[in-house]
Amino acid sequence: MEKLQIFLVILAGLGVFIWRMVQKAIETTARESQERPRPKVPSLPDTSFKELLKQMQAQNQPDAAPRPQPTPPPTTPAGRPLPREVAPQPHSLERTEVRPVSLEEKATARANQETAPRARRAATLPRATTSIPSAYNVPTKAKSSQTRRTVRDTLRSASDVRAAFVLSEVLRRKF
């Protein structure tokens, strides 16, 4: 019984909703027809076919002098005459008599070819792979202060620092 009552309430609500939508559509249609009146269709001419045929034949005669047809003034789609305004002559605000000036810097007096730094031979460059210092082979039972001193001494030379850096990059990869 409760299900039947719920069903009837839903059905009544749906009926009211549809009825309101139909009423709204009718009102919208009536309002649009009042806002936009239908264009007037020209009625059929009162003359007969024979009279129209005579008029066309008279217009097609070569003897008849062509009469210029008066052109009706142009009108808007609503039938009102177009305004007879004349647009002002356009003029340019550009000043053409001013000569353009370059904003580039003036060339300085310098050689046409750049001088490259003097190349160094590879034999004079410090090497990354040198013999391993004996400080790395210290037994594990050595005192920590001695180890610090030897590490500090080995890191003073550039080639040892370079070797340590390369080893750290190889052993601890980021990617």
Side-chain angles (χ1 to χ4, degrees):
M1 191 65 174
E2 290 178 21
K3 291 182 181 180
L4 185 60
Q5 289 176 348
I6 292 173
F7 179 72
L8 290 176
V9 167
I10 291 173
L11 192 60
L14 187 61
V16 168
F17 176 74
I18 292 173
W19 182 75
R20 289 183 67 196
M21 293 300 289
V22 168
Q23 293 299 321
K24 192 172 186 179
I26 292 171
E27 289 174 10
T28 304
T29 307
R31 186 176 54 237
E32 286 179 356
S33 66
Q34 288 175 356
E35 289 175 359
R36 288 185 276 157
R38 304 242 183 241
K40 295 180 180 177
V41 179
S43 63
L44 293 175
D46 294 335
T47 58
S48 67
F49 177 73
K50 290 181 181 180
E51 292 174 0
L52 288 175
L53 185 61
K54 287 180 184 177
Q55 287 178 1
M56 285 191 262
Q57 287 174 349
Q59 288 175 353
N60 291 336
Q61 292 295 327
D63 298 335
R67 289 178 262 156
Q69 296 287 334
T71 57
T75 59
T76 63
R80 293 183 297 259
L82 286 175
R84 300 268 182 196
E85 297 176 359
V86 177
Q89 290 293 331
H91 64 280
S92 174
L93 298 176
E94 181 181 12
R95 295 183 297 160
T96 56
E97 67 275 358
V98 178
R99 298 198 55 178
V101 179
S102 174
L103 298 177
E104 295 180 356
E105 294 181 9
K106 302 295 181 197
T108 58
R110 59 185 165 114
N112 289 338
Q113 297 175 350
E114 295 289 332
T115 55
R118 202 181 96 215
R120 292 174 49 190
R121 292 190 176 264
T124 61
L125 295 173
R127 299 286 175 204
T129 57
T130 58
S131 61
I132 297 175
S134 60
Y136 292 130
N137 296 328
V138 175
T140 56
K141 294 182 181 178
K143 295 180 182 177
S144 64
S145 64
Q146 288 178 349
T147 306
R148 284 188 194 140
R149 239 182 270 132
T150 56
V151 170
R152 196 176 310 133
D153 292 337
T154 56
L155 292 179
R156 283 195 179 143
S157 68
S159 61
D160 290 340
V161 172
R162 194 174 291 121
F165 178 75
V166 169
L167 283 174
S168 72
E169 289 295 319
V170 169
L171 295 177
R172 287 187 291 127
R173 291 184 187 171
K174 292 182 180 178
F175 304 104

